[in-house]
Every structure is written in structure tokens, then in C-alpha cells.
Amino acid sequence: MSTTRRTVPPGTIRPGGEDSSRYYPGYDSLSVKHTGDFILAADGIHSKIRTLLLKDLPPPEPSGTNAFRFLIPIDEIRAGPKTAHFVEKSGQMLLLYGKDRRIVAYPCRNNNLLNFVAMHPEEETEASSEEWSQSASKDSLLSFYTSYTDDVQALLAKVSPEDIELWNLLNHEEMGRENWVHGKMALLGDAAHGFLPHQGQGGAQAIEDNAAIGALFPLDTQSTDIQQRLKLCVQARYDRATLVQDFTRQAAFETPRGKHGGKVIDPMQFMQTNLSHDSYDHAHGILIRHLNENALYRRIPMSFGPSPGPRQDLNGIQWKPLKPTYKTSYITFKTYKSYLLTLLPSDDFQTSTEGMWATATFSVTRLENLEWLGGRGYSMLGLYVHDIVHKRFSGSHSGNSAELKGDFLPVLFENMADPIITGREEIGFSKVFATLDEKASSESSFVLSAGWEGTEFCRLTLNHLEEAPNAESALLSPALHYKAIPSSMKKGQDAEYATTYPSIPTAEGERKWKAGKAEIVFTDLENGELDMAFPTLANIIKRLRGVKVVEIIRPGIKASGS
């Protein structure tokens, strides 16, 4: 994974290197050092790493069964009159039963070879439990299966003598889920869940382990996520692998020295469970739910992982602080305080100004080059009521309270669905949709038309613009707004409270302009005509055009430097 590749920290177990014997007793001769973010120990039933990590864990023990293992080319089987029927169906596994022995065979290498495991009681052959395998004779193999039919004996006779190996089959009891992962190391395959070959599931479960790893470690995985993802691997794999492991023990035939076996007459009864599981999909679902549960913001749709937005990425992690490109055109004005107070959603909101006057600002901002929108941008138009205070009670019996101060934002029009959805759901802004088109602007003028479905309801105009580096800036206070989410199950609200959000940070090298003339004009449509033209916005438009601009105090533009 190129996104997470780095040198293993000091003290991490590493194969090879000048001091490899410190980590792997008996591995003194290794001379190659490998580094990585984590270690997947898939070194089999005799795992050295498992022994190193779990010194008190009982080692694997003989199962009471030995096995001949070998490969036969499928073309050779197909060429024999007595044996061709064994490979009539491509991809088919063979289970050939005897009273106290069994042959399991399954295709591999793109259906070119048939892999055989010919099992029998361990007292009939001498196989070391310390070695992976040892050579065996063809005559010995054939002599142990004379009770089988002629076609099976003809099948076994096709093996090349030099390809036969004898294995002592080991059983390793369940290790416990707490032992599969240690920090940035994980056991996989037979190192974690040793399998007997009675169902041909040992390799299959190792493949499932790796499929789960692939699902849990996509290319954007960060090194800081490794330990948690390995724990998710245990969640995805432990119950499944140990279930199939137990099925395999039950499917064994009974032997004089074996602890398991003889409980199930037909091992095929387990095949539906063995073959119906998709390890990648199962692990991927676990990852999606994990990312959702730990996302900075949990919002719908939840079926696809965290929903990205301006505050979190596809993994639910906060974006790094950005410096957006912006242009804000505004008209700050004096108006009647009594009317502005009617826009406040509850009596807990108050203005800190004295007398009959208050100030507010109609503001248009265009944001560009936003990473969360793939470099695109969008526009917003809002009314900001200045010098508003909300007294927020803590709910404690002591009566302690806190004040929120800022510019109250009763509504914010935006021209893109994505920021509207994220802003409403994540931070509770009162956002609605409108088309916001900059019209016939020049170096000395700015015109914005706000509308819906082709009909304009508002026009903001700035004329006689002159650059003024020392001009007083606007909209520096936090936005104060009221978040309200209705309940879907009952009458009432799931959430309802006041909160604030920081203003757009001032960019280094910000430029400013003053306007010699400014105005904002709303549509004069009334009653039914207004309702028909703007069926979802009519109530907002009526209330906004009731805000009288008594005196323009500060019109202008501020923009991030080019």
C-alpha cells in the first residue's frame, strides 16, 4: 500500500537483518531485511511468529491421522478410460470414503492439476510432526487403499513417485480471538486457525482471510488506522473460520489415536455453509459500519460509508484546514430593530443594541477551488442580523447559563444541493436552494440575481466600486443560527438548539473595495402570484422584503488575494 509504506518502528519484529536471531530463534542465517507498516504472519501450522508471540499457547498436536499429498495433471486423468469420469465436471471436489480412511481431491492451478490428500490412521505410517512433510513411496500409497474400487486405485496409480509426500496432520485447538492480533501483527491462515483436510477448507479459509484483509485495507488506508483495522479483521474472520474449523473436525473419520471424528456420516452437509460465504463483502460491510460509527458527522445515506462534505472526507475524517478562494459582496445597513426581532426564532434571542435601530447585512459569497467539491465552487446569499445574543441554559439545577453571541442568520440561499444538505444536517444552517447568478459585473460594478425556476425574486447591486485596502471589513463575527430537526416517529423535535459557526477566515493578502452606490430589490409579486412563482420560498421572500433599508452604512466587496 503506497499510501502507508514507511519504515517499521524500532523494536518491531522483523524477519532477517543482522540481529534476526533476536526475533526468530533458529533464523540466524537470514540476511534479508524487510520493512513495512505491519506484519501478516501466514507461516502455517508451525508458525514461528505465533510461537514467539504466544509462548504459553499449547502447540499443535497429532490428530491421529497421516496423509499422502500429491498432484496429478488433470489431462492424464482425463486420458484414462477408468479415470476420466472423475474429471468430467470442471472445478469439482472429490470426497472418496473408506471405513477408516478418506481421499479428498480438488482442482487447482486453473483446473490443470488435481490436488490429493489421502488420509489414513497415523499408526500405519511414520510421519514426523516436526516437519512440514517427508517423502513416501508409491507402493506404500497404493497398498493402503486396496479396499477402494478399481477406478480409484487406477486414479492413484497415475501419480509420479517423486511427487508423493507424507504429512502428519496436526490439530490446533481454537486460540481465542484475543490471540490473533498483537499490535501491528496479525496471524492468518493455519498460523491462526490450523485446519485438518477433511473438507479441503484450510487453503480456502486462508484465502478468505486475505480477502478480508483486502477489504479492510483499501489503498487510502492511513498508517494510524492499522491496529484498529486488524482488530476488525478478527471481527470479520474469527467466528467464521472457527465454525468451519469445527465442522472439519466433526467431518473427520474416527481413528484409534484421534480425539475428533466419527460424529458425522456425510461431510457434505457442511458444504452449504462452507461455500456460501463471501469474505470480502462481509469484511467490507464491517468496515463501512465501523467508518460510519466513528465518522465526525453521521448522516444519511448510511449504507455507503461516511458521507463526505466540507468538514469530513470519505472516511469520516476531518479535512485539513483549507484556505478557500472567496469573494464576498455585501450591503450593511441600518433598519428597524422591532422588525428584525420578529425574525428571531425564540425569546431566548435578544439584541445587544439600544434604541430603535439595529444593523444587518445582505451578503453574497462565492467560494471557489474547494477540495471537497473536486475543485469546484458555489455561491450563497444570506441576511445577517448583527449584535444578537442567545442565552443558553445548561439545564442544571444550579441555574448556570452561557451566552452565544454572533450575527444571526435566519436564512442562507445556496445554489448547489451538496452544501445545502451538509450544512443543514451537520451544523444546522437554515439553508434553502436558489439560483444565484452574477449579472453584467465589471471592475466597477457587481450585480447578483437570485431566483427560482427561472423567475427572479431578488437583485443586489453594487456600483462605483473602488479598491480601498484600508476599508473596514464585514462579517467577522461567528454566524449564530438555530438548529431544528423534526422527529420522524412522533410529534416534536429530535434536536432544537442555538449554535454558532465561525466566519470565513480572512485570507492573507485580502483585497477590499468600497461601493459608491448600492441597493437590494425584491420582487413586487403579491399573494397568489408570489405563491405560484415561488411555492417553497414565498414565506421567506415576504419576510425578507419587509426588512427596510433605512440607511446604507457600508457597501463593498472583500476577496481573497489573487
Side-chain angles (χ1 to χ4, degrees):
M1 296 177 295
S2 59
T3 56
T4 62
R5 189 174 295 125
R6 62 179 64 180
T7 302
V8 174
T12 300
I13 296 175
R14 59 187 80 196
E18 59 184 5
D19 57 350
S20 60
S21 61
R22 170 186 171 192
Y23 303 104
Y24 290 103
Y27 274 39
D28 306 41
S29 61
L30 289 181
S31 59
V32 178
K33 180 186 294 185
H34 299 279
T35 61
D37 290 292
F38 58 99
I39 295 175
L40 299 176
D43 52 342
I45 193 73
H46 295 288
S47 172
K48 297 289 186 181
I49 294 181
R50 183 186 64 223
T51 301
L52 180 67
L53 294 174
L54 304 169
K55 294 182 174 62
D56 297 329
L57 189 73
E61 58 184 12
S63 66
T65 305
N66 287 348
F68 296 101
R69 301 209 64 163
F70 49 90
L71 299 167
I72 300 177
I74 286 180
D75 285 345
E76 293 185 17
I77 299 172
R78 189 178 290 115
K82 288 186 177 182
T83 58
H85 68 92
F86 288 113
V87 291
E88 284 179 345
K89 294 182 179 180
S90 178
Q92 180 173 273
M93 185 174 76
L94 303 177
L95 288 173
L96 306 173
Y97 305 119
K99 179 180 179 181
D100 59 353
R101 58 205 64 227
R102 182 176 300 157
I103 299 172
V104 178
Y106 49 86
C108 59
R109 200 169 297 173
N110 199 26
N111 213 49
N112 289 315
L113 295 173
L114 204 59
N115 185 14
F116 285 80
V117 185
M119 293 168 278
H120 54 277
E122 68 176 11
E123 59 268 21
E124 296 183 8
T125 53
E126 295 183 3
S128 171
S129 62
E130 302 298 324
E131 302 294 333
W132 287 99
S133 63
Q134 60 195 68
S135 61
S137 71
K138 183 173 181 178
D139 289 341
S140 177
L141 164 67
L142 297 177
S143 68
F144 289 126
Y145 296 92
T146 55
S147 60
Y148 278 68
T149 57
D150 290 346
D151 56 348
V152 175
Q153 294 185 59
L155 179 64
L156 298 178
K158 289 185 175 292
V159 64
S160 297
E162 63 272 14
D163 291 339
I164 302 172
E165 294 181 340
L166 181 62
W167 292 41
N168 179 235
L169 301 183
L170 302 178
N171 177 63
H172 203 190
E173 298 296 333
E174 294 178 18
M175 294 166 44
R177 66 179 68 243
E178 70 279 3
N179 290 321
W180 277 24
V181 169
H182 296 263
K184 293 187 177 182
M185 299 185 63
L187 302 174
L188 267 68
D190 276 358
H193 42 73
F195 266 80
L196 295 168
H198 297 285
Q199 295 190 102
Q201 283 296 303
Q205 292 306 306
I207 291 172
E208 287 190 13
D209 287 349
N210 282 278
I213 288 290
L216 294 169
F217 286 86
L219 289 178
D220 60 351
T221 303
Q222 302 299 305
S223 59
T224 52
D225 296 329
I226 289 172
Q227 294 191 52
Q228 181 58 49
R229 298 292 176 89
L230 291 177
K231 292 178 181 178
L232 292 181
C233 185
V234 177
Q235 180 182 340
R237 293 295 304 143
Y238 185 83
D239 290 340
R240 160 71 179 172
T242 53
L243 174 66
V244 179
Q245 189 182 35
D246 183 59
F247 283 176
T248 296
R249 293 191 186 103
Q250 293 184 48
F253 55 86
E254 190 172 9
T255 61
R257 299 179 186 175
K259 293 182 180 179
H260 305 282
K263 299 178 182 179
V264 176
I265 297 175
D266 182 10
M268 291 300 293
Q269 67 180 275
F270 296 131
M271 281 300 163
Q272 181 63 28
T273 297
N274 293 346
L275 303 179
S276 63
H277 181 76
D278 190 306
S279 181
Y280 185 93
D281 286 348
H282 179 62
H284 186 249
I286 288 174
L287 176 60
I288 291 297
R289 289 186 286 275
H290 167 76
L291 293 176
N292 278 333
E293 290 168 1
N294 293 276
L296 190 62
Y297 293 93
R298 285 169 51 83
R299 60 182 179 86
I300 56 174
M302 303 285 285
S303 299
F304 311 98
S307 295
R311 286 158 288 277
Q312 70 178 20
D313 62 17
L314 284 164
N315 290 315
I317 299 172
Q318 184 174 7
W319 288 103
K320 294 180 180 179
L322 299 176
K323 295 181 179 179
T325 301
Y326 64 87
K327 176 184 176 182
T328 298
S329 306
Y330 58 90
I331 300 174
T332 301
F333 58 95
K334 182 170 75 172
T335 187
Y336 296 100
K337 182 172 71 174
S338 59
Y339 188 83
L340 289 183
L341 291 177
T342 68
L343 299 177
L344 304 180
S346 78
D347 292 338
D348 294 329
F349 289 87
Q350 301 170 2
T351 177
S352 60
T353 59
E354 300 292 337
M356 64 180 293
W357 304 112
T359 58
T361 296
F362 280 109
S363 170
V364 180
T365 296
R366 176 69 186 177
L367 297 175
E368 293 281 5
N369 302 318
L370 297 173
E371 184 176 359
W372 76 277
L373 290 177
R376 300 171 181 83
Y378 66 97
S379 299
M380 61 186 83
L381 165 65
L383 171 65
Y384 296 82
V385 181
H386 301 307
D387 304 314
I388 300 299
V389 178
H390 179 271
K391 183 159 288 190
R392 182 173 57 183
F393 292 93
S394 66
S396 67
H397 295 294
S398 64
N400 292 334
S401 63
E403 287 186 342
L404 294 176
K405 298 180 180 180
D407 296 334
F408 179 68
L409 181 63
V411 67
L412 187 65
F413 298 97
E414 291 183 344
N415 64 349
M416 181 181 281
D418 301 88
I420 292 174
I421 293 170
T422 61
R424 288 176 71 108
E425 293 187 354
E426 292 178 8
I427 54 179
F429 269 35
S430 299
K431 294 186 176 187
V432 293
F433 176 80
T435 55
L436 301 172
D437 299 321
E438 194 171 327
K439 302 282 189 180
S441 297
S442 65
E443 291 185 0
S444 61
S445 66
F446 171 84
V447 180
L448 178 98
S449 171
W452 189 84
E453 290 291 305
T455 303
E456 182 180 275
F457 65 79
C458 173
R459 180 168 290 233
L460 184 148
T461 304
L462 300 175
N463 285 316
H464 309 308
L465 288 165
E466 294 183 355
E467 191 157 6
N470 297 321
E472 185 178 353
S473 195
L475 300 177
L476 299 178
S477 299
L480 175 61
H481 53 98
Y482 197 64
K483 182 173 185 175
I485 302 176
S487 173
S488 301
M489 302 297 293
K490 60 184 179 180
K491 184 178 180 180
Q493 302 294 100
D494 280 344
E496 188 168 352
Y497 54 87
T499 184
T500 59
Y501 197 77
S503 61
I504 297 174
T506 299
E508 184 177 353
E510 182 183 73
R511 300 177 65 188
K512 302 174 186 176
W513 292 262
K514 283 185 176 180
K517 184 179 180 181
E519 67 174 353
I520 184 165
V521 179
F522 286 89
T523 179
D524 57 3
L525 292 176
E526 294 286 355
N527 302 323
E529 289 184 329
L530 181 67
D531 295 343
M532 287 296 293
F534 308 104
T536 61
L537 300 178
N539 60 327
I540 299 174
I541 295 169
K542 289 176 186 177
R543 301 280 282 132
L544 288 180
R545 70 184 181 187
V547 179
K548 303 303 181 184
V549 179
V550 175
E551 177 187 348
I552 292 178
I553 299 173
R554 187 168 56 253
I557 294 176
K558 62 177 184 177
S560 51
S562 57

